[in-house]
Amino acid sequence: LTKSLQSVEKDMKKEESSAAKLSKKRDKTVEKVEGIRQKLSNVAFSSDDFNALENEKIDLENNVSTLQEKVDTLSAQLEGRLSFNYSDPVRGFDRSKVKGLVARLVDVKLPKHSTALEVVAGGKLYQVVVDEAATGKALLNNGKLQRRVTIIPLDKVMPKKVSSAACDKASSMAKDLNTTAQPAIELVGFDEEVRSAIEYVFGSTLVVDGMKAANSICDTTKTRTVTLDGDVYEPSGLISGGSNNNLGSTLTRITQLTAASKELKEKKARLKTVVKKLESMSAQSRQYEKFSAELELAQSELS
């Protein structure tokens, strides 16, 4: 019996010792967990923000790729019609003197007006705007132009405008006919420095929604009118129209190209900013992941 009691006491002491060791080990592990948590809280990093930026980066990369493809396609479609290449006529020539083709200098405000505006402009859409007549002469003489061009010098061109009286009368008649009539020049956007050239191209015509209204307004105001479908009514009595296949396609594509190019530029700028932010967060990210892994391991020791 005495031996049995001694054996029991010995086993109890062993269990007490083992329990004490386990408690001490657990306390150390708890302390370790708290220490890692403190380190983790001191890292200036948000996994939610980092993941959100990663997702935004992926979306931006996809958008940039799609937009770049659209810009390249539209540019290729317009290249033949809107190419204007020249050599510097004199050494040190200031290329800002050449403003470019009329088609590239306007933005169509509403796509539905593209056909009418392209008819309004006609061949003038592909004429080249320059700052002054001297620049135009220099280009024609020494610019090694690859095709014949008509040049519009801003210092010589005579702007054309529909009179205020004609505009008011057209607007009143259109309202009575439950339609619209607007000066063509009000339907395009452009830089003020080329206003005289744009007025020369678009300034003398009214864009009217509907053939009947266009005919009546032309007869009454003695002003050239063009319908949204591209039918033309001249004060002289001449009428032109018919198939409008491909009419408006140039201005429509230019408008699409301008919008896509602008959006592409914005997306690229944002992507650059996001990538820069991710790079600056990468060090904190690695540190955060290291402490997170250590915390997970330490917590598993407690369970």
Side-chain angles (χ1 to χ4, degrees), residues 162-220:
V162 178
S163 69
S164 297
C167 286
D168 292 342
K169 183 63 177 177
S171 179
S172 176
M173 290 179 67
K175 188 175 181 180
D176 290 340
L177 293 168
N178 197 30
T179 187
T180 59
Q182 298 169 274
I185 192 145
E186 292 183 2
L187 305 178
V188 293
F190 53 88
D191 288 337
E192 279 300 313
E193 72 166 342
V194 295
R195 172 174 284 279
S196 58
I198 306 306
E199 287 181 342
Y200 165 71
V201 176
F202 295 98
S204 62
T205 305
L206 294 168
V207 173
V208 183
D209 187 359
M211 294 176 65
K212 181 181 177 181
N215 191 11
S216 298
I217 290 171
C218 176
D219 288 344
T220 302

Side-chain angles (χ1 to χ4, degrees), residues 7 169 206 227 230 268 297:
S7 177
K169 183 63 177 177
L206 294 168
T227 69
K268 280 185 173 180
L297 183 61

Side-chain angles (χ1 to χ4, degrees), residues 16-36:
E16 287 173 359
S17 176
S18 178
K21 288 179 180 179
L22 285 172
S23 179
K24 189 174 182 181
K25 183 179 180 182
R26 180 179 177 78
D27 290 343
K28 284 185 177 180
T29 303
V30 169
E31 186 179 343
K32 180 180 179 182
V33 166
E34 291 305 317
I36 296 173

Side-chain angles (χ1 to χ4, degrees), residues 129-146:
V129 179
V130 299
D131 65 336
E132 56 186 11
T135 301
K137 290 177 183 177
L139 285 176
L140 292 175
N141 293 331
N142 302 308
K144 298 179 182 178
L145 303 181
Q146 298 174 1

Side-chain angles (χ1 to χ4, degrees), residues 252-269:
T252 297
R253 285 172 180 165
I254 290 174
T255 301
Q256 291 172 344
L257 177 60
T258 300
S261 297
K262 181 182 178 182
E263 188 178 359
L264 177 61
K265 184 178 180 182
E266 290 171 353
K267 295 293 185 186
K268 280 185 173 180

Side-chain angles (χ1 to χ4, degrees), residues 97-99 128-133 135-136 139 151-155:
K97 290 175 172 289
V98 181
K99 309 306 176 184
V128 179
V129 179
V130 299
D131 65 336
E132 56 186 11
T135 301
L139 285 176
I151 292 177
I152 305 176
L154 291 171
D155 66 334

